[in-house]
Amino acid sequence: MNNDPLHPLIRNAYSVLDGQPISRETALAIAEGIHGSDLLDLISLANKVRLKFAPAVHSCSIINAKSGKCRENCKFCAQSAAHCTGIETYPVLAPETVLEAAGKVYGEGVRTFGYVTSGRGWDKPDAEFRTILDTLDLLHAKYPDMHLCVSLGILSEECVKLLAEHHVWRYNMNIQTSPARYGDLIATTHTIEQKLETIRLMKKYGISNCTGGILGLGETWADRVDMAFAIREIDVEATPLNVLLPIPGTPLEHQKPMSPAAVAKTFAIFRLVNPAKTLKFCAGRETVMKDFQGILMLSGLNSLMTGGYLTTRGRAIAQDRAFAAELEDFGVGGTLDD
Ligand code: SF4
């Protein structure tokens, strides 16, 4: 008789703690076969793996430095001109406006600042791109200990090289979902291969990569597992995961929200597949997880975006800091610091 209280799939996955990589087959079996009280055992394992391989807790804040009027057709996005979302639109912000925003989060203790623009990206360093470079120089001069992260879309090698010369520490380029499903689930106006090429260029010029995606688009568990393994293969330093907030006017406006349990399970699986990487929860933390944010923090993540998102509001930085401090009693093991 088997008296082991752990589900055999979870018992098998404990080998991740000994440094054994989990197979796609096991990860998918866990995704499809673990439910109910077994899910808490999975979450506990993910937290143990996180504490062993990625103990530091990080935070970052972002600014939407150019909003809307994007010619791409990403189905989830409020900023695509292909959808009628009524979002506020504006061109690249003046450097002073960005400096002021960075100063505010710096004053609240955040040391990673993300500069994000809407749009497909840049082939050439035009006047708008030069404004971005000037802004990065000013940010670095004023806050030299702030990590500068940028998210500007698909870039040419010329533009990537310039970012490397203008103090960029990390680049965000999300693959969004399983690469094989990109055309169905995300967009048809650009390809996943173009995004992967930008990630390769970042590596070439010594810029760290932040590459993740969005959950709740209508993807299957197999798609989520495939995204986790694609990210392992690309070998990026950080993975941000968002949960879809269905936005009126987008093709996904009627998409059923993911349950908090499914979100926590997905984070736990991403942690088992990528034991030592930074795993960050971005949009959807407050709106989808609601009262379950504490469980989420024990599901293997070690990084939070704080102070709001691109097109939606989030919790205040001070509130997230107090939340992280209280979670220390559960062995989360860290405050919101870089
Ligand atoms: S995700 Fe980026 S590229 Fe896609 S529609 Fe939105 S702003 Fe444009």
Side-chain angles (χ1 to χ4, degrees):
M1 193 176 129
N2 180 8
N3 290 320
D4 189 344
L6 286 180
H7 190 290
L9 285 169
I10 297 174
R11 171 64 64 206
N12 182 9
Y14 261 73
S15 59
V16 174
L17 276 173
D18 300 324
Q20 300 287 327
I22 193 169
S23 69
R24 181 189 179 279
E25 186 186 31
T26 301
L28 183 56
I30 287 173
E32 292 180 340
I34 295 299
H35 309 281
S37 60
D38 288 331
L39 182 54
L40 289 175
D41 292 331
L42 175 67
I43 287 168
S44 172
L45 171 59
N47 194 43
K48 286 180 169 65
V49 170
R50 205 277 291 165
L51 287 171
K52 180 163 184 183
F53 295 107
V57 180
H58 305 284
S59 64
C60 72
S61 289
I62 59 170
I63 185 166
N64 194 7
K66 177 184 177 184
S67 179
K69 293 194 174 170
C70 178
R71 283 185 275 179
E72 305 305 298
N73 66 353
C74 302
K75 286 185 183 174
F76 62 87
C77 184
Q79 304 197 70
S80 168
H83 320 315
C84 293
T85 60
I87 193 173
E88 181 191 6
T89 65
Y90 48 85
V92 164
L93 292 174
E96 318 71 81
T97 309
V98 179
L99 251 76
E100 193 184 325
K104 188 165 172 297
V105 299
Y106 187 93
E108 292 189 80
V110 174
R111 291 292 178 271
T112 302
F113 184 65
Y115 181 105
V116 185
T117 56
S118 65
R120 177 192 181 89
W122 275 268
D123 288 330
K124 288 274 161 210
D126 59 8
E128 211 175 31
F129 196 83
R130 296 275 169 199
T131 300
I132 294 170
L133 297 179
D134 290 347
T135 306
L136 291 168
D137 287 346
L138 290 165
L139 283 168
H140 178 70
K142 186 143 190 195
Y143 307 106
D145 60 335
M146 183 98 105
H147 289 122
L148 298 180
C149 179
V150 297
S151 182
L152 310 177
I154 295 163
L155 298 181
S156 65
E157 182 159 357
E158 182 182 9
C159 291
V160 173
K161 186 165 179 288
L162 283 166
L163 291 184
E165 291 165 1
H166 288 263
H167 317 291
V168 169
W169 168 71
R170 180 168 282 173
Y171 196 79
N172 167 249
M173 171 59 88
N174 289 334
I175 61 170
Q176 307 297 17
T177 191
S178 159
R181 301 289 313 282
Y182 195 85
D184 308 333
L185 293 172
I186 305 295
T188 54
T189 47
H190 57 269
T191 66
I192 186 68
E193 184 46 42
Q194 290 171 302
K195 291 186 143 192
L196 294 173
E197 177 57 18
T198 301
I199 294 170
R200 285 192 281 270
L201 286 170
M202 294 300 156
K203 288 179 185 240
K204 178 174 174 181
Y205 287 93
I207 297 174
S208 162
N209 278 296
C210 170
T211 298
I214 182 162
L215 308 172
L217 305 158
E219 73 282 359
T220 64
W221 277 111
D223 295 331
R224 289 174 195 146
V225 168
D226 285 345
M227 172 163 65
F229 278 85
I231 284 169
R232 179 160 99 182
E233 195 181 322
I234 302 166
D235 191 21
V236 297
E237 286 70 28
T239 294
L241 293 180
N242 300 273
V243 182
L244 179 75
L245 307 170
I247 294 172
T250 66
L252 299 177
E253 67 178 320
H254 300 303
Q255 188 67 31
K256 189 168 168 261
M258 267 177 95
S259 70
V263 175
K265 181 158 61 172
T266 307
F267 268 86
I269 290 167
F270 267 71
R271 174 54 67 202
L272 298 186
V273 176
N274 297 283
K277 304 295 184 174
T278 297
L279 183 58
K280 181 188 307 255
F281 199 157
C282 302
R285 180 159 60 91
E286 295 87 346
T287 45
V288 179
M289 293 311 284
K290 301 189 186 83
D291 291 345
F292 296 93
Q293 281 197 58
I295 284 189
L296 178 81
M297 288 296 290
L298 301 166
S299 306
L301 71 83
N302 65 337
S303 182
L304 293 179
M305 184 173 284
T306 182
Y309 308 102
L310 272 189
T311 60
T312 53
R313 296 172 76 86
R315 284 209 308 204
I317 293 169
Q319 213 180 346
D320 275 337
R321 194 172 293 283
F323 171 60
E326 283 182 347
L327 276 164
E328 280 207 74
D329 294 344
F330 291 88
V332 165
T335 52
L336 276 191
D337 287 313
D338 287 300

